[in-house]
């Protein structure tokens, strides 16, 4: 007979209700929850059971720590051989009472004779309590580990959870920096998994490639024996802009698996011509060889297979290692003199935390008059390779009211009284600007930008690039403009090495760097867009600047800058490509994707 229980354990909840994980973006930011698509639930369940060593006797204990509407539990039960189902003991947590009720109703109707107990309870709080308690559930049952743990934890970023809550969670699970809620969920599973158990977890793929994920990557390799990782990329299995991944693992006491034996598969949309057809993106993952496949909606996907390369340091991203990829990267390494980090510090642009006040395109139309403190603003709308171009649409041609200056003592806020037009404008918005309590608490003036950077730096040449783009989009700025927070910028710290900026400009805009990025970082967003963030761009390679090819590259980059935009500049950029590939030890015609 099926046992049903709803226990409302609401005190000290760490996570918020699980409702529609990923499907509604606004709600997602609040609770980080969505229901797992049936196709994906079946995939995870089958992968788990394919490596599960079934105990000869006794119960088979199953857990979903964020069970939502029960789709994952249903998939796991359904895929267990009918003769074994009577041995299942199924447990589930969720903080949303409606989800629990729906899951109970659903599973009771399908499996009336199973022992299923679901609780409205916070799994993270539960795992913290385990450290000093033998009570695994509040259901008067002995604390026993689980043989099968299947999960799609809530995805909530640090800034949504709140700093204090994030800090407490991080400390409890030996994490540091920014903590997404699914990080401690993953590590909490290790505390309840049987020594011969198997877990299958759906998460965002961000943890594999971001600096904030380095702690959870370390802990996963310590606490689990990872068997398989699937980066599901831009398959759009969920409605919102979250790129999912799946991993299947056993307890770290079950057997010894080294990182280079962990299977790693990725699937991302491509424009390359397909060689096969698949009924869906997940089915394409069952093919044995790398392939480009077409799915019924007309999209093409590249499937790559290899093993996990976890890198030499904690900061290293997780990527796919294949013999071909490793040989390619070894060739690049042998021809790398230094990296972009040699040039200087990569910074994100200014942040006002009140953009509607400080960033405008209609300053000339204000009744208070055009403020004296305006500077040109460099945004992603200006983005062009080598040299920026003003946006055609006037509303995107913005300027920034920049109330900062450089004095003998360094950066400082201007004396606003010396700039009457700027002062009148800012006074109109004083209430809004003063509401930025964090700025006031930091001892700053109410009219300042939150992150203004050094005013003396803006007139100097700088390499600028947007944080997200399909193709690399780097340009040299000599206009003295202020870089907005949606872009990054780099200046040369050593005056005698200014030519390294031009060498970097050429390398960063090449097809070579696209291939390097894809092999090294394994991180794309939807529609093939790449994230050009500090931790990646810092690692972009530079050839020896004294090489004949490098000297020619620098000269060509300067010439292209001078002639952009023009057909001649485009022709010169093609010549530049061949030189860059040659500088890194390749025939430019032998581009390996």
């Amino acid at each position: 007979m099926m046992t049903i229980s709803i226990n409302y354990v609401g005190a000290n909840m760490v996570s918020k209700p699980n409702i529609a994980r990923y499907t509604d973006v606004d709600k997602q930011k609040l609770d980080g929850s969505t229901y797992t698509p049936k196709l994906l639930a079946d995939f995870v369940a089958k992968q788990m059971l394919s490596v599960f060593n079934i105990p000869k006797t006794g119960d088979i204990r199953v857990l979903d720590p964020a069970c939502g509407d029960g789709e994952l539990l249903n998939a796991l039960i359904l895929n267990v051989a009918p003769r074994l189902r009577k041995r299942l003991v199924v447990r589930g947590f969720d903080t949303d009472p409606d989800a629990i009720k729906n899951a109970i109703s659903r599973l009771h109707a399908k499996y009336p004779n199973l022992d299923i107990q679901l609780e409205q309870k916070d799994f993270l709080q539960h795992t913290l309590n385990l450290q000093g308690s033998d009570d695994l559930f509040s259901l008067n049952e002995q604390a026993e580990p689980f043989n099968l743990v299947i999960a799609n934890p809530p995805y909530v970023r640090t800034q949504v959870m709140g700093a204090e809550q994030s800090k407490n969670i991080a400390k409890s699970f030996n994490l540091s920096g920014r903590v997404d809620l699914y990080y401690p969920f993953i590590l909490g599973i290790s505390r309840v998994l049987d020594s011969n158990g198997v877990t299958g977890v759906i998460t965002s793929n961000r943890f594999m490639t971001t600096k904030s994920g380095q702690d959870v990557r370390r802990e996963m390799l310590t606490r689990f024996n990872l068997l398989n990782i699937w980066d599901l990329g831009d398959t759009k299995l969920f409605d919102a802009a979250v790129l999912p991944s799946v991993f299947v693992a056993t307890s770290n006491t079950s057997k010894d698996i080294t990182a280079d034996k962990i299977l790693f598969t990725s699937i991302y949309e491509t424009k390359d011509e397909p060689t096969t057809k698949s009924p869906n993106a997940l089915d394409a993952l069952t093919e044995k060889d790398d392939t480009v496949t077409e799915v019924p909606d007309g999209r093409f996907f590249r499937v790559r297979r290899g093993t996990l390369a976890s890198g030499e340091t904690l900061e290293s991203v997780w990527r796919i290692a294949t013999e071909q990829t490793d040989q390619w990267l070894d060739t690049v390494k042998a021809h790398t003199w230094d990296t972009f980090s040699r040039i200087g510090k990569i910074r994100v642009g200014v942040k006002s935390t009140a953009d509607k006040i400080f960033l405008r395109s209609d300053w000339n139309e204000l009744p208070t008059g055009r403020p004296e403190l305006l500077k040109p603003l460099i945004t992603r709308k200006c983005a062009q390779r080598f040299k920026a171009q003003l946006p055609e649409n006037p509303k995107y041609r913005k300027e920034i009211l920049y109330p900062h200056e450089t004095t003998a003592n360094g950066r400082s806020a201007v004396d606003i009284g010396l700039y009457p037009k700027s002062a009148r404008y800012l006074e109109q918005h004083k209430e809004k600007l003063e509401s930025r309590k964090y700025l006031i608490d930091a001892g700053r003036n109410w009219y300042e930008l939150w992150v203004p950077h050094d005013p003396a730096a803006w007139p100097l040449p700088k390499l600028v690039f947007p944080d997200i783009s399909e193709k690399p989009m780097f340009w040299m700025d000599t206009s003295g403009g202020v870089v907005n927070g949606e872009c990054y910028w780099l200046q040369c710290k050593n005056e005698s090495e200014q030519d390294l900026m031009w060498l970097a400009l050429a390398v960063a805009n090449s097809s070579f760097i696209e291939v390097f990025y894809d092999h090294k970082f394994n991180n794309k967003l939807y529609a093939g867009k790449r994230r050009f963030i500090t931790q990646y761009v810092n690692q972009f390679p530079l050839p020896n600047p004294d090489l004949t090819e490098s000297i020619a590259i620098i000269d060509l980059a300067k010439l292209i800058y001078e002639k952009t935009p023009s057909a001649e500049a485009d022709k010169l950029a093609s010549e530049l490509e061949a030189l860059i590939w040659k500088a890194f030890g390749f025939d430019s015609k032998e581009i390996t994707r």
Side-chain angles (χ1 to χ4, degrees):
M1 181 177 179
M2 182 177 183
T3 305
I4 298 294
S5 173
I6 307 179
N7 292 319
Y8 296 95
V9 188
N12 300 318
M13 287 189 175
V14 177
S15 56
K16 296 184 178 182
N18 277 340
I19 307 171
R21 190 180 298 119
Y22 303 130
T23 56
D24 183 287
V25 176
D26 293 331
K27 183 170 283 294
Q28 167 199 342
K29 291 180 180 179
L30 293 175
D31 53 44
S33 52
T34 190
Y35 298 141
T36 308
K38 182 180 185 303
L39 189 68
L40 183 54
D42 286 343
F43 175 82
V44 178
K46 289 175 180 177
Q47 295 297 330
M48 288 174 62
L49 293 171
S50 71
V51 296
F52 180 50
N53 291 320
I54 302 169
K56 293 182 179 179
T57 60
D59 295 336
I60 300 173
R61 292 174 55 78
V62 176
L63 171 68
D64 183 344
C67 62
D69 68 345
E71 185 62 64
L72 285 170
L73 287 175
N74 175 64
L76 199 53
I77 296 169
L78 193 62
N79 282 283
V80 168
R83 62 183 176 81
L84 297 175
R85 283 184 197 163
K86 62 183 179 181
R87 294 172 56 189
L88 295 180
V89 173
V90 180
R91 301 291 180 257
F93 285 153
D94 207 289
T95 58
D96 177 21
D98 291 332
I100 289 289
K101 291 177 181 177
N102 291 337
I104 286 173
S105 175
R106 176 186 188 186
L107 296 177
H108 177 263
K110 291 194 71 172
Y111 312 106
N113 298 317
L114 289 189
D115 178 0
I116 300 177
Q117 299 184 23
L118 308 180
E119 290 189 88
Q120 187 205 342
K121 187 174 180 181
D122 188 327
F123 175 68
L124 294 186
Q125 190 64 48
H126 158 71
T127 56
L128 293 177
N129 292 340
L130 280 179
Q131 298 179 54
S133 171
D134 290 331
D135 181 26
L136 190 59
F137 265 68
S138 56
L139 300 176
N140 298 319
E141 61 177 309
Q142 186 178 359
E144 295 181 50
F146 290 89
N147 305 100
L148 295 167
V149 180
I150 190 167
N152 178 8
Y155 176 74
V156 179
R157 302 294 303 282
T158 301
Q159 55 266 45
V160 178
M161 283 190 283
E164 190 63 28
Q165 187 179 37
S166 175
K167 183 178 178 181
N168 291 337
I169 292 174
K171 182 179 179 181
S172 301
F173 287 91
N174 195 28
L175 301 170
S176 61
R178 294 184 176 183
V179 177
D180 289 350
L181 192 58
Y182 67 90
Y183 292 3
F185 258 81
I186 291 172
L187 305 186
I189 288 170
S190 71
R191 295 180 177 177
V192 301
L193 188 63
D194 181 73
S195 60
N196 291 308
V198 175
T199 184
V201 182
I202 303 165
T203 75
S204 162
N205 67 2
R206 281 178 52 84
F207 81 90
M208 294 190 286
T209 55
T210 61
K211 186 175 181 180
S212 65
Q214 63 188 26
D215 284 348
V216 79
R217 293 196 294 269
R218 177 199 65 221
E219 292 295 318
M220 285 175 66
L221 290 171
T222 300
R223 299 179 183 220
F224 296 105
N225 280 319
L226 294 167
L227 304 178
N228 258 301
I229 300 172
W230 294 269
D231 178 358
L232 303 180
D234 53 356
T235 49
K236 298 182 180 177
L237 293 169
F238 294 101
D239 293 337
V242 174
L243 279 67
S245 66
V246 172
F247 73 85
V248 168
T250 60
S251 167
N252 67 347
T253 60
S254 60
K255 57 182 176 178
D256 184 24
I257 300 238
T258 58
D260 62 355
K261 300 298 182 184
I262 299 169
L263 301 179
F264 195 146
T265 305
S266 72
I267 179 168
Y268 279 86
E269 192 168 355
T270 181
K271 295 178 182 177
D272 296 341
E273 285 299 312
T275 56
T276 63
K277 290 187 177 183
S278 301
N280 56 69
L282 288 178
D283 194 71
L285 298 178
T286 62
E287 299 288 338
K288 293 182 179 179
D289 301 317
D290 289 4
T291 186
V292 174
T293 190
E294 180 181 3
V295 296
D297 65 7
R299 290 180 295 162
F300 303 162
F301 288 98
R302 178 176 294 280
V303 180
R304 297 178 60 220
R305 294 171 178 78
T307 57
L308 172 65
S310 56
E312 299 175 355
T313 66
L314 179 61
E315 291 78 14
S316 299
V317 302
W318 282 7
R319 64 173 181 84
I320 294 177
T322 66
E323 183 177 353
Q324 185 182 41
T325 294
D326 289 350
Q327 287 177 354
W328 194 93
L329 289 172
D330 285 344
T331 300
V332 173
K333 185 176 181 179
H335 291 80
T336 296
W337 171 76
D338 214 320
T339 64
F340 279 32
S341 62
R342 162 70 175 258
I343 300 171
K345 183 178 180 180
I346 296 174
R347 298 174 172 89
V348 71
V350 297
K351 295 182 183 297
S352 73
T353 62
D355 283 358
K356 290 184 178 180
I357 297 173
F358 288 99
L359 281 57
R360 301 182 66 146
S361 59
D362 61 348
W363 293 108
N364 293 334
E365 302 169 19
L366 297 180
T368 52
R370 179 179 171 83
E372 305 91 340
L373 294 171
L374 296 182
K375 287 185 178 293
L377 185 69
I378 301 171
T379 73
R380 65 181 307 111
K381 297 293 185 180
C382 305
Q384 295 287 336
R385 292 154 72 93
F386 293 97
K387 182 189 289 186
Q389 302 293 318
L390 285 176
E392 292 184 8
N393 191 329
K395 75 176 183 179
Y396 294 128
R397 298 180 188 176
K398 295 185 177 181
E399 294 175 286
I400 181 170
L401 197 161
Y402 190 78
H404 299 270
E405 63 183 354
T406 301
T407 68
N409 297 320
R411 187 191 75 211
S412 124
V414 300
D415 180 352
I416 198 65
L418 299 177
Y419 304 93
K421 293 180 182 179
S422 298
R424 284 197 298 270
Y425 172 78
L426 290 170
E427 285 285 350
Q428 291 180 343
H429 301 281
K430 187 173 183 179
E431 182 179 356
K432 175 68 174 178
L433 295 176
E434 282 187 328
S435 70
R436 299 177 297 167
K437 187 174 182 298
Y438 46 86
L439 186 140
I440 306 302
D441 289 346
R444 308 271 296 280
N445 295 296
W446 60 269
Y447 55 84
E448 293 188 50
L449 302 175
W450 175 235
V451 181
H453 291 300
D454 179 8
W458 300 125
L460 302 176
K462 50 188 174 289
L463 200 61
V464 186
F465 53 98
D467 57 350
I468 297 173
S469 61
E470 180 179 356
K471 296 284 186 180
M473 194 72 64
F474 289 68
W475 67 92
M476 190 72 74
D477 176 72
T478 57
S479 71
V482 175
V483 179
N484 195 24
E486 61 196 0
C487 295
Y488 290 87
W489 58 291
L490 168 66
Q491 284 182 325
C492 192
K493 63 184 178 183
N494 190 335
E495 190 173 346
S496 66
E497 295 186 335
Q498 291 293 323
D499 274 351
L500 291 183
M501 293 268 286
W502 294 98
L503 183 60
L505 177 64
V507 171
N509 279 323
S510 67
S511 59
F512 162 81
I513 212 64
E514 292 182 55
V515 181
F516 176 83
Y517 180 105
D518 294 345
H519 284 337
K520 183 74 172 177
F521 307 123
N522 193 53
N523 184 15
K524 286 187 180 179
L525 304 175
Y526 284 112
K529 287 184 169 56
R530 299 175 175 90
R531 301 186 68 232
F532 292 94
I533 55 179
T534 301
Q535 72 181 87
Y536 298 162
V537 178
N538 265 334
Q539 298 180 60
F540 282 8
L542 290 170
N544 189 325
D546 295 329
L547 289 175
T548 302
E549 289 86 5
S550 295
I551 295 171
I553 288 169
I554 292 168
D555 290 341
L556 265 178
K558 292 178 179 179
L559 189 56
I560 291 169
Y561 173 83
E562 292 174 6
K563 295 184 177 295
T564 296
S566 70
E568 184 179 357
D570 295 339
K571 181 180 178 181
L572 291 172
S574 297
E575 295 177 21
L576 190 62
E577 282 283 314
L579 285 172
I580 292 169
W581 281 94
K582 186 176 181 181
F584 285 104
F586 298 98
D587 181 336
S588 62
K589 296 178 181 178
E590 297 176 358
I591 299 176
T592 304
R593 289 275 174 188

